[in-house]
Amino acid sequence: MKNSYAVVTGASSGIGEQFARKLAAEGYRLVLAARRRDRLDALAAELSEKGTECVVFAADLSKKEECYRLMGELGSKKVGVFINNAGFGDCGFFLDTDVDKELAMIDLNVKSLHLLTKLVLKKMQAQGGGYLLNVASSAGLTAGGPYMATYYATKSYVASLTRAIAQELKDKGSKVYVGALCPGPVDTEFNEVANVEFSMNGMSAEDCVDYAIAQMKRRKTVIVPSFSVRAATTMGRFIPQNLYVRITGGIQKKKRDM
């Protein structure tokens, strides 16, 4: 691990920050990517004091050229773990929500994640192995989410893409792992950006990441770090999908009404 890097996008807060801390504790060198350089610098300084080599990469990864610039930064570095975490959400009546924010969400949550997934997996395949974890959401395992329509759609894309690629890699006998982390509510800055309040208590980012890393090492393809959320998504498979969407919509609407 001391000779390989863990790359974390969206590393300036929340789940991404916790991944950085946990992977540093496991002995990885780090590449920390996010828009907010000041937060990355503070995290890198803290981890460096504990002996972790950190590379700070400030970038807006919703832009394709910045994704390629990140891959250029990685260059010949051996990447043992890549946490594809950068993303955000929004909540509201679809006819009222801001289209520019939604298109930016699609750029980051879908297009950039897709591009980085392809580029990183090619790199890992060439180097003979590695772990890539796409951060999706339990929202990506449902039929749809009224009042968070675009966010649910982006995370459905991530979950679907990841499961398909995982099977392709297994068919090929590849040593490269790809999985999708699909958490329910997590106590992060997500709410503030998405203009929502969770209708249930969220788990801590630390607990979410601990579970994710353990399941990643077991090469679990879809990782849902909460028994209640696992139960809900499993039960959803047996409920008529139009009913499931109505139930989900009722839950999302309550968030806006809080």
Side-chain angles (χ1 to χ4, degrees):
M1 293 180 186
K2 292 180 180 179
N3 295 319
S4 64
Y5 286 79
V7 184
V8 184
T9 71
S12 59
S13 65
I15 290 175
E17 181 182 347
Q18 286 301 319
F19 268 114
R21 294 181 185 281
K22 297 296 182 180
L23 292 169
E26 293 200 2
Y28 286 97
R29 302 174 180 179
L30 295 179
V31 176
L32 305 174
R35 290 181 297 109
R36 295 175 290 191
R37 174 176 285 277
D38 57 337
R39 291 199 178 189
L40 292 180
D41 286 340
L43 178 60
E46 176 191 334
L47 296 177
S48 294
E49 287 182 358
K50 299 176 182 178
T52 299
E53 178 186 326
C54 296
V55 176
V56 168
F57 186 86
D60 179 358
L61 293 177
S62 67
K63 303 180 185 302
K64 180 172 70 173
E65 58 270 23
E66 293 290 79
C67 294
Y68 281 111
R69 191 165 70 88
L70 173 58
M71 295 307 298
E73 174 69 33
L74 297 180
S76 61
K77 294 180 176 68
K78 182 176 181 180
V79 176
V81 177
F82 193 101
I83 307 297
N84 220 353
N85 170 66
F88 68 93
D90 195 21
C91 185
F93 183 48
F94 184 75
L95 298 186
D96 296 334
T97 48
D98 183 86
V99 69
D100 289 332
K101 186 175 182 180
E102 289 169 333
L103 293 177
M105 191 193 312
I106 292 168
D107 284 341
L108 184 58
N109 294 14
V110 174
K111 294 169 68 175
S112 293
L113 180 138
H114 181 112
L115 176 58
L116 287 173
T117 296
K118 183 176 285 286
L119 297 176
V120 171
L121 288 178
K122 284 186 174 182
K123 180 178 179 63
M124 288 181 171
Q125 185 74 358
Q127 70 185 24
Y131 292 85
L132 187 150
L133 188 64
N134 286 330
V135 178
S137 166
S138 59
L141 305 178
T142 66
Y147 304 101
M148 293 189 77
T150 304
Y151 176 73
Y152 270 62
T154 65
K155 294 305 183 179
S156 292
Y157 183 94
V158 175
S160 177
L161 179 76
T162 304
R163 284 186 285 198
I165 297 170
Q167 187 59 51
E168 290 182 17
L169 292 172
K170 289 175 184 176
D171 291 345
K172 195 176 182 67
S174 174
K175 293 182 179 179
V176 177
Y177 161 88
V178 63
L181 173 59
C182 298
V186 180
D187 293 328
T188 67
E189 295 176 357
F190 177 90
N191 281 16
E192 182 179 345
V193 176
N195 300 313
V196 299
E197 291 186 31
F198 289 133
S199 55
M200 63 178 73
N201 292 330
M203 71 187 308
S204 71
E206 185 174 7
D207 287 344
C208 176
V209 168
D210 283 343
Y211 186 85
I213 290 176
Q215 295 303 307
M216 181 180 73
K217 290 177 180 179
R218 297 186 178 101
R219 306 183 79 86
K220 179 78 171 175
T221 299
V222 177
I223 302 170
V224 184
S226 165
F227 175 78
S228 60
V229 176
R230 287 197 297 274
T233 54
T234 299
M235 288 171 56
R237 301 173 193 166
F238 304 99
I239 299 174
Q241 293 301 284
N242 59 345
L243 174 59
Y244 195 21
V245 171
R246 287 203 303 273
I247 293 170
T248 303
I251 295 171
Q252 304 303 342
K253 193 171 185 298
K254 288 179 182 178
K255 295 177 182 179
R256 292 295 295 168
D257 294 339
M258 286 180 173

